[in-house]
Amino acid sequence: MAVSRRAAVTGLVALGLGLPAIRSLALPTSRPWLPRPVELASGEILAASRARLPFTAPESRGYGYNQTSPGPLIRVRRGEEFRIRIANHLNEETTFHWHGLICPTEADGQPQNPVLPGESAEVAFPILQRAGLSWYHPHPHGATAKQAWHGLGGFFVIEDEEEKALGLPSGEDEWFLFLRDIQLDALGRIFFPDDAGGSEGTLPLINGVVNPRAHAANRQLRLRILNGANARVFRLSADAPLTLIGNDGGLLETPVPVDQIQMGPAERIDVILDLRKIAPGTVVGLRDDSFAAPLLEITVREGAPDHWQLPKRLSTITPLVHHGSEPDRVFTFQGDSTINDKPFEPTRIDFAIPFGKVERWRFQSAQGAPHPIHIHGAHFQVIQRSGRGRNQVEPWERGWKDTVLKWAPEQVDILVRFDTYEGRYLLHCHKLEHEDGGMMLNFVVGKDPEAALEKARIEALYGPICTTRQG
Ligand code: C2O
Ligand code: CU
Ligand code: CU
């Protein structure tokens, strides 16, 4: 016992975590420490390659960005220009999609803009949107599920003055958690089931390790959580009070206490985990309904007193206004591979949306659910969920979203306005096997929608008509 205790203490000191109560270390545990994502340094290249991942057999390889999975965290400020060199060191094509970022079509990392093996490219666009947690991941035609499953994905954080003024927990008290799941074969190598209905793993991963543990001060922790899984829906709860403060598109208007949060693939939440009343030495679990063991075990230790008060008001969300209750467009997600009876076709552009107009869209489906439905090029507001099922907009679906989870009999209505860029964007299911299987479509946004559609259709078939860009 003495030996293992000393070893544990030495390990903690090496990790720079200080000395917690020895009592809590008496029981050896096999849980790995929760890694903090490294931050991408400015000017550093972002390269996709094969990578050694900690949860596999030593000789096995997954994929990573800059050799890590999740990849390095990218942090930018609203109003800045985001500029980066991306490189593909894999021996298959990939793309770099900035999920949740409103950016021009050429920078969006869509399937029609692959980075070929051995190639690199420069990406630059201004950060025009409010603070929030977005992410980046591959989006190559037909191979997104495989590449994400093998480890490609990373955080993309936008900061702004409004958020900074709230004084939310930061530094040691702000944690980024990249949730996903994985399957290994008998030899400990990554096994990709490639299930057309959505690949689910048997092992949960947080920041690239299985069932980690961590230490936290008895303060308020800000947890910024991403469901980066191919297909799994997480139902999260914790052994301490959770208050929701934000989601995909940034802060909510007001904080909402929650017991359980349901997160579909690609959705993000921002929550405060209140550990102030937890006795030092207590282990607090972050749990998911489908796994018996907590996803994460947090051992609470005595920290500096926390006098910060969660503000009653976090932000202002201006509601989009649409007249009439009839949807402008209805999308039916069928089986594993179609929207409105059509599978994705790279060169087919389905419709044009008038720039700046608020539209009401309805998502429905008979089977194949859950479908986490995602739109490129704009954020949206979820206004109604009807039909059999939950019949309500969940607290984590208020504010601005870029992905919404829909179960089979439910019908979800959203309001959306494309008012940043004209160009070609995507609507798809973010269950990645559904996306690869064809549950995706192209549309265009234009000030003159008919002309934009015409031009986009010709360009999809024959390449760019002219090289000068709009604007
Ligand atoms: Cu997160 Cu079109 O993707
Ligand atoms: Cu996206
Ligand atoms: Cu789907």
Side-chain angles (χ1 to χ4, degrees):
M1 186 63 97
V3 171
S4 69
R5 180 186 298 166
R6 192 162 56 237
V9 171
T10 313
L12 280 174
V13 172
L15 280 159
L17 290 169
L19 282 173
I22 295 294
R23 212 173 43 253
S24 65
L25 297 172
L27 287 178
T29 159
S30 59
R31 283 180 174 252
W33 291 105
L34 174 73
R36 259 185 114 81
V38 292
E39 297 213 12
L40 192 81
S42 88
E44 200 183 339
I45 293 175
L46 187 67
S49 69
R50 287 169 57 84
R52 159 95 188 89
L53 303 182
F55 58 87
T56 65
E59 68 287 357
S60 164
R61 290 290 175 275
Y63 297 173
Y65 291 112
N66 298 4
Q67 302 292 320
T68 63
S69 173
L73 180 149
I74 297 173
R75 199 186 283 275
V76 295
R77 293 191 69 77
R78 180 179 192 168
E80 264 176 23
E81 154 131 310
F82 169 58
R83 184 174 283 278
I84 197 170
R85 179 153 282 275
I86 50 175
N88 181 2
H89 299 161
L90 292 165
N91 46 34
E92 61 195 277
E93 68 175 51
T94 190
T95 79
F96 294 70
H97 170 54
W98 320 103
H99 180 127
L101 281 117
I102 310 301
C103 62
T105 306
E106 318 80 74
D108 198 33
Q110 299 175 17
Q112 83 259 21
N113 292 122
V115 183
L116 300 177
E119 289 199 339
S120 72
E122 186 88 12
V123 177
F125 58 89
I127 304 295
L128 304 172
Q129 64 201 79
R130 65 204 290 256
L133 177 62
S134 292
W135 60 303
Y136 60 94
H137 65 74
H139 215 310
H141 183 50
T144 299
K146 175 195 155 199
Q147 293 188 5
W149 183 267
H150 283 82
L152 291 183
F155 293 108
F156 196 119
V157 187
I158 301 175
E159 299 173 336
D160 69 9
E161 293 304 321
E162 180 195 36
E163 187 198 59
K164 199 172 158 206
L166 297 175
L168 294 163
S170 60
E172 288 289 294
D173 298 333
E174 183 185 25
W175 295 12
F176 291 89
L177 304 179
F178 192 117
L179 266 46
R180 64 184 197 103
D181 56 349
I182 195 72
Q183 253 184 64
L184 300 179
D185 68 12
L187 297 174
R189 300 172 301 197
I190 293 177
F191 173 71
F192 176 46
D194 202 6
D195 178 344
S199 300
E200 288 200 354
T202 47
L203 296 170
L205 293 172
I206 302 189
N207 295 351
V209 299
V210 180
N211 284 338
R213 59 177 161 152
H215 282 252
N218 54 351
R219 295 163 56 83
Q220 295 165 93
L221 268 189
R222 181 183 186 188
L223 303 182
R224 313 194 65 179
I225 307 177
L226 156 70
N227 180 351
N230 280 37
R232 177 176 293 278
V233 174
F234 286 94
R235 286 178 190 78
L236 299 178
S237 60
D239 304 334
L242 276 178
T243 304
L244 195 73
I245 60 167
N247 58 5
D248 305 357
L251 294 169
L252 301 178
E253 283 207 308
T254 53
V256 194
V258 279
D259 293 326
Q260 194 187 56
I261 302 167
Q262 197 178 113
M263 288 183 87
E267 291 191 289
R268 286 88 72 202
I269 52 162
D270 200 341
V271 287
I272 301 291
L273 178 69
D274 188 355
L275 301 176
R276 284 174 300 179
K277 296 215 173 80
I278 308 289
T282 309
V283 175
V284 166
L286 177 70
R287 301 172 187 278
D288 173 76
D289 257 13
S290 323
F291 295 100
L295 299 179
L296 170 65
E297 279 184 359
I298 303 170
T299 304
V300 178
R301 58 180 165 76
E302 191 74 51
D306 181 356
H307 301 299
W308 180 72
Q309 284 283 346
L310 182 58
K312 293 215 162 33
R313 203 171 167 82
L314 301 165
S315 186
T316 301
I317 310 279
T318 309
L320 295 175
V321 178
H322 179 267
H323 300 286
S325 57
E326 282 314 299
D328 297 290
R329 300 173 204 278
V330 177
F331 301 97
T332 307
F333 296 76
Q334 287 288 95
D336 292 330
S337 58
T338 64
I339 304 176
N340 294 345
D341 291 320
K342 287 184 238 159
F344 181 68
E345 176 54 61
T347 56
R348 194 190 71 234
I349 321 282
D350 284 16
F351 51 87
I353 299 163
F355 180 89
K357 176 172 177 274
V358 176
E359 291 203 347
R360 180 174 180 140
W361 291 11
R362 176 164 298 162
F363 301 136
Q364 56 186 34
S365 61
Q367 345 85 4
H371 301 291
I373 299 159
H374 170 53
I375 299 175
H376 292 221
H379 288 169
F380 54 81
Q381 294 176 354
V382 183
I383 54 162
Q384 188 183 81
R385 178 182 273 105
S386 55
R388 270 182 306 128
R390 291 177 283 170
N391 255 307
Q392 60 172 9
V393 176
E394 305 279 14
W396 53 90
E397 295 175 331
R398 297 178 192 159
W400 292 100
K401 293 282 289 168
D402 60 50
T403 307
V404 64
L405 183 66
K406 209 195 74 51
W407 289 94
E410 296 174 350
Q411 206 171 274
V412 175
D413 283 20
I414 64 157
L415 296 183
V416 63
R417 178 174 62 200
F418 294 84
D419 55 7
T420 311
Y421 296 107
E422 295 183 90
R424 177 173 156 184
Y425 294 102
L426 294 161
L427 163 70
H428 63 89
C429 179
H430 218 285
K431 190 186 269 184
L432 300 179
E433 290 76 7
H434 280 183
E435 174 191 323
D436 285 344
M439 197 172 272
M440 178 154 77
L441 57 78
N442 295 299
F443 60 86
V444 288
V445 175
K447 290 179 179 152
D448 180 343
E450 287 320 307
L453 188 57
E454 188 69 31
K455 179 168 174 276
R457 283 181 169 156
I458 294 170
E459 287 187 345
L461 291 170
Y462 307 110
I465 295 173
C466 68
T467 48
T468 43
R469 285 183 193 144
Q470 64 187 40

